[in-house]
Each structure stands twice: as structure tokens, then as C-alpha cells.
């Protein structure tokens, strides 16, 4: 019976945190995935102390820093190919037409089921006048989250998110359990490493096929792999940067792809790895739980773990 009350309280909590995060942005000049400097407590004296790393993660907002993700339509027939068109509206209220290239593209477009059961990484084309256009099929009925990941010229990188809908009966799927290997198109990908909230965590993904390491991965968007991490529950979008690049003299084309990931909180994350081999892009998906390190090993610069009732539980 008290579920609505809890939801209401949760929503209020989000509003408070959101407002505080904007305050941090105004004070230090940036709200982004990197931890901001401290000192924010002075601007929000009525709020309890809050780790600076808990600024609003990317992907949760349809509008941020004056930029707004504006879809032409948000409802699609399940399983039917369609064209998704959208603009990004800038601070002046007009569609943004000038972008910086990042990872070889001006804009990266990610679509995932709200239950994290699917993943599409697409690259829309410019249709003129700031309109982006991309063929899109929402494979089954349900609610989806679409992310536009871009850098407006002269601005900061942003990931804006909006919901898309495919009407019809559907049964949400539970989050797949955490496992250390994933299959993708006949490839096996093994995940090593842990996610530690609030600090950079090294993740190594190793690709093999038929038991043999794959040592001739092909560059895709300027790297041997791209990793998107989405937080279960709200689909916060985490930027994950690969270590090294093709042609830098030290980065090998597999079988291991190394990333540095930083997640803002404990909880479950769904990781999607894109890699290219044989001229085709493959996607391997993992569930990984972020837990604070055991007491006494808290990395410098992070907030000490709460009393650890989950100790040894994962
Ligand atoms: Cu992309």
C-alpha cells in the first residue's frame, strides 16, 4: 500500500539532487561524468553532505545546458522499419547544425529497451537544417530509451535521452544475471575487472572464437572496441573510454580490449561492447554489479563506504 508514497518520496529526492547538481555546475563550470571539485555544500547548506561524484550522470535528461533532444515522433509500430528524425535544439532555440566529431562521428545514437533487453548503436545522417535521420526498427512492443551523444561546436559533450514507444502487449524481462562471459554471433567475450563506484575501474574484455583468441580485431570508430554502460533502474548512461587506439604503436588488435570505466553509484549496470571483426560489428552484453571496495581499501578521493551490509555478498 505504501508504494505510491515511496515513489513520491523518490521523485522528490531526484528533484533535490538534480537542483543541487545544477548548483554545482553553475559554481564550478561543468556538470559531467567527471567528479566536480568539492565546495558544493556551501551552495546548498540545507542539504546533507553529498559526494561530489554524484552529480547527475549523462542520459537522464532530455534537456541540459540549453540543448534539447527534440524527436519528430516518439511512437513506432513494433517490428516495422521506420525513419526516426530529430533535432537537437540549441540555447538560441534553433536546431544545432555544427558539431564536433568524436569517435569519427558527429553524433552517436543509442536505443535500448527500458528493460535493458536490447541495444542498437546507430549513426544518423544529416538531412539538412539540423535535422538528423536514421532508419530505426523497434523490434518488439515496449518502452525504449534513445540517447543522442554529441559535442556541439564550442560546447561540452552531452548525452541527452528521450523515451520511445512501441504500443502492444509486452512482458518486461528481468535483468540478465551477472556472468563473466557473453556470446555474440559465434564469438565469446570474457570480462575481467570490477566496477568500483566513484573511481576509475579497469575492465578487460577478451574476444575469442571457437576457443582461439581473436588477434585481428578491426578498428571501429577509431578503436578496437566501444563500451556503453547503462545503470539498471534509470538507464543512466556512462561514457567508457578505451585504453589506447589502433596505430598508436602499443595497442594490439585483440584479443584483449581494455577500458577505464567510472560509475557514480553502487548497483547493477548493463554493459554493451561493440567490436568489429570480419567486416561486421558485433555486440556482446554483460551485467556487472558495482560494489564499494571492502572497508579499509577505499581509494583516495572517494567517499568511504557505508556500513557494508553487502560485504561478501556478490
Ligand atoms: Cu557511435
Amino acid at each position: 500500500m505504501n508504494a505510491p508514497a515511496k515513489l513520491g518520496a523518490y521523485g522528490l529526492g531526484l528533484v533535490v539532487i538534480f537542483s543541487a547538481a545544477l548548483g554545482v555546475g553553475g559554481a564550478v563550470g561543468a556538470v559531467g561524468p567527471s567528479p566536480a571539485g568539492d565546495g558544493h555544500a556551501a551552495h546548498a547548506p540545507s542539504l546533507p553532505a553529498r559526494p561530489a561524484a554524484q552529480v547527475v550522470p549523462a542520459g537522464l535528461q532530455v534537456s541540459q545546458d540549453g540543448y534539447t533532444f527534440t524527436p519528430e515522433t516518439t511512437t513506432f509500430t513494433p517490428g516495422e522499419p521506420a525513419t526516426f528524425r530529430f533535432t537537437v535544439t540549441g540555447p538560441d532555440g534553433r536546431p544545432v547544425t555544427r558539431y564536433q566529431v568524436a569517435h569519427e562521428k558527429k553524433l552517436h545514437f543509442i536505443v535500448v529497451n527500458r528493460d535493458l533487453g536490447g541495444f542498437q548503436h546507430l549513426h544518423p545522417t544529416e538531412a539538412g537544417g539540423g535535422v538528423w535521420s536514421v532508419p530505426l526498427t523497434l523490434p518488439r512492443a515496449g518502452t525504449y530509451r534513445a540517447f543522442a551523444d554529441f559535442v556541439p561546436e564550442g560546447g561540452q559533450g552531452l548525452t541527452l535521452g528521450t523515451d520511445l514507444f512501441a504500443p502492444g502487449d509486452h512482458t518486461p524481462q528481468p535483468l540478465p544475471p551477472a556472468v563473466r562471459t557473453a556470446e555474440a554471433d559465434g564469438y565469446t567475450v570474457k570480462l575481467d575487472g570490477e566496477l568500483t563506484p566513484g573511481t576509475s575501474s579497469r575492465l578487460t574484455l577478451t574476444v575469442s572464437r571457437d576457443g582461439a583468441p581473436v588477434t585481428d580485431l578491426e578498428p571501429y570508430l577509431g578503436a578496437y572496441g566501444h563500451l556503453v554502460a547503462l545503470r539498471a533502474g534509470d538507464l543512466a548512461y556512462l561514457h567508457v573510454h578505451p585504453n589506447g587506439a589502433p596505430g598508436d604503436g602499443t595497442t594490439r588488435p585483440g584479443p584483449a580490449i581494455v577500458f577505464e570505466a567510472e560509475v557514480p553509484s553502487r548497483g547493477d549496470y548493463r554493459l554493451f561492447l561493440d567490436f568489429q571483426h570480419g567486416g561486421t560489428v558485433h555486440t556482446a552484453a554483460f551485467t556487472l554489479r558495482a560494489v564499494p571496495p571492502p572497508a579499509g581499501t577505499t581509494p583516495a578521493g572517494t567517499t568511504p563506504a557505508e556500513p557494508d551490509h553487502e560485504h561478501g555478498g556478490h
Side-chain angles (χ1 to χ4, degrees), residues 216-228:
D216 56 349
L217 291 174
E218 296 155 2
Y220 172 57
L221 303 174
Y224 288 122
H226 286 269
L227 191 62
V228 167

Side-chain angles (χ1 to χ4, degrees), residues 120-165:
Q120 301 183 58
H121 179 171
L122 306 171
H123 297 105
T125 54
E126 293 175 276
V131 176
W132 292 96
S133 176
V134 62
L136 178 64
T137 304
L138 302 184
R140 56 188 171 90
T143 306
Y144 292 76
R145 188 74 173 165
F147 301 98
D149 181 343
F150 60 90
V151 186
E153 193 170 86
Q156 302 257 355
L158 287 171
T159 302
L160 303 179
T162 193
D163 285 343
L164 301 180
F165 305 94

Side-chain angles (χ1 to χ4, degrees), residues 105-268:
K105 298 288 179 183
K106 290 181 179 175
L107 188 142
H108 301 263
F109 181 70
I110 306 287
V111 177
V112 65
N113 287 72
R114 268 280 180 192
D115 66 6
L116 289 169
F119 178 83
Q120 301 183 58
H121 179 171
L122 306 171
H123 297 105
T125 54
E126 293 175 276
V131 176
W132 292 96
S133 176
V134 62
L136 178 64
T137 304
L138 302 184
R140 56 188 171 90
T143 306
Y144 292 76
R145 188 74 173 165
F147 301 98
D149 181 343
F150 60 90
V151 186
E153 193 170 86
Q156 302 257 355
L158 287 171
T159 302
L160 303 179
T162 193
D163 285 343
L164 301 180
F165 305 94
D169 287 341
H170 85 288
T171 304
Q173 301 299 305
L175 190 69
V179 288
R180 286 294 176 158
T181 59
E183 302 290 329
D185 307 330
Y187 296 83
T188 301
V189 182
K190 182 164 150 298
L191 169 64
D192 290 295
E194 305 294 337
L195 281 180
T196 304
T199 191
S200 185
S201 310
R202 175 162 297 184
L203 300 177
T204 303
L205 292 124
T206 306
V207 184
S208 61
R209 186 164 64 168
D210 301 328
V214 173
T215 56
D216 56 349
L217 291 174
E218 296 155 2
Y220 172 57
L221 303 174
Y224 288 122
H226 286 269
L227 191 62
V228 167
L230 300 174
R231 182 166 62 185
D234 64 4
L235 275 52
Y237 178 102
L238 284 306
H239 296 262
V240 183
H241 302 284
N243 268 0
D248 66 5
T250 57
T251 304
R252 303 170 69 92
I257 315 166
V258 180
F259 297 90
E260 301 293 335
E262 183 167 341
V263 297
S265 70
R266 67 166 68 217
D268 289 327

